[in-house]
Amino acid sequence: MNFLLELAIAALIVLGGVFALVGSIGLVKLPDLLTRLHAPTKATTLGVGGALAASMLFFFGIEDRLSIHELLISVFLFLTAPITAHFIAKAHLHEHVDLRDRLPPTGRPQGWSTFDGVPEADDAERDSDPPPR
Amino acid sequence: MIEPALDFGFFAVSLALLLNLWRLWRGPTVMDRVLAVDTMVINAIALIILFGIEQRTTMFFEAALLFAMFGFISTVAYCRFILRGDVIE
């Protein structure tokens, strides 16, 4: 039983290390920022997540005390990672406006909202809505 | 069995930090450097957690949480500075 526990902890640590390394290799090898952006998300979710799960299992199984600080860190990271990626992509697009022509079409009348803004509602649409009470 | 796994973890995360440092140095754009710093913060958190397992203490989780918060806030502040020319309008 103890052996299985140690095996699980060691496997989680190795998994976390491998994914942290894979994310950083992707950060170095991929060609431009918008493709590069997706590599470190693996390091954020699986790399740190593996290390945190190993830590929880270690303190609960071997040190025999319940520690839930790890959950705080993982929830915070999982919530903020997409926001960071979104901000970086948006700032990059606004810094290099020439990328605008290479973006895929949105398939709707309005373009990419980061460049064109939120479209004004048509008068017809506004009239069909029930008036606010 | 945990000891060699921890050694491997320290090696992998430290190598990842060096690769991030290379990207931070090379650039080529400003946002590449911001992304490199953001990933460095993530890897530093992983390193702190592994160190906590090795030392058998839960004392470092507050430090990791502070790292996570300041990494997020600094990245968002810098991106906002690039986007709007000001952090707080």
Side-chain angles (χ1 to χ4, degrees):
Chain A
M1 185 57 208
N2 215 11
F3 174 77
L4 278 181
L5 193 67
E6 287 200 6
L7 188 70
I9 294 169
L12 279 172
I13 291 174
V14 169
L15 184 87
V18 164
F19 271 103
L21 195 55
V22 163
S24 293
I25 289 173
L27 188 68
V28 169
K29 295 283 283 184
L30 288 172
D32 64 355
L33 187 126
L34 289 178
T35 53
R36 227 175 261 154
L37 194 58
H38 104 117
T41 56
K42 270 88 234 167
T44 310
T45 52
L46 286 165
V48 179
L52 285 165
S55 171
M56 280 190 87
L57 207 60
F58 177 78
F59 285 112
F60 184 64
I62 293 183
E63 296 280 297
D64 223 11
R65 58 185 149 158
L66 187 63
S67 85
I68 51 171
H69 293 66
E70 289 95 331
L71 277 183
L72 211 59
I73 300 173
S74 56
V75 165
F76 186 83
L77 280 182
F78 285 17
L79 280 179
T80 55
I83 303 174
T84 318
H86 171 81
F87 262 103
I88 287 175
K90 193 167 171 173
H92 182 73
L93 281 177
H94 277 264
E95 226 187 4
H96 301 267
V97 186
D98 52 306
L99 285 175
R100 191 173 172 164
D101 303 327
R102 284 161 47 196
L103 290 174
T106 57
R108 275 175 293 173
Q110 68 269 23
W112 283 65
S113 66
T114 182
F115 290 123
D116 293 346
V118 181
E120 296 280 325
D122 286 331
D123 286 346
E125 266 180 50
R126 202 180 294 143
D127 288 341
S128 67
D129 286 340
R133 289 174 204 284
Chain B
M1 175 167 264
I2 296 180
E3 292 298 320
L6 273 177
D7 286 343
F8 175 78
F10 280 127
F11 171 74
V13 176
S14 307
L15 193 60
L17 273 168
L18 284 179
L19 290 173
N20 293 340
L21 206 61
W22 193 80
R23 176 53 70 198
L24 180 68
W25 181 55
R26 280 300 294 270
T29 66
V30 180
M31 289 334 280
D32 277 311
R33 296 196 164 97
V34 176
L35 183 63
V37 170
D38 192 57
T39 317
M40 280 183 91
V41 169
I42 300 293
N43 283 327
I45 293 168
L47 207 58
I48 289 172
I49 294 160
L50 291 181
F51 190 65
I53 297 178
E54 197 204 23
Q55 298 287 315
R56 296 182 174 241
T57 170
T58 53
M59 207 171 65
F60 298 113
F61 289 127
E62 281 81 9
L65 197 61
L66 277 175
F67 253 80
M69 279 184 64
F70 278 100
F72 171 65
I73 290 172
S74 55
T75 307
V76 169
Y78 200 84
C79 291
R80 220 181 136 69
F81 179 72
I82 294 286
L83 279 170
R84 311 285 297 183
D86 208 347
V87 178
I88 301 171
E89 289 166 55

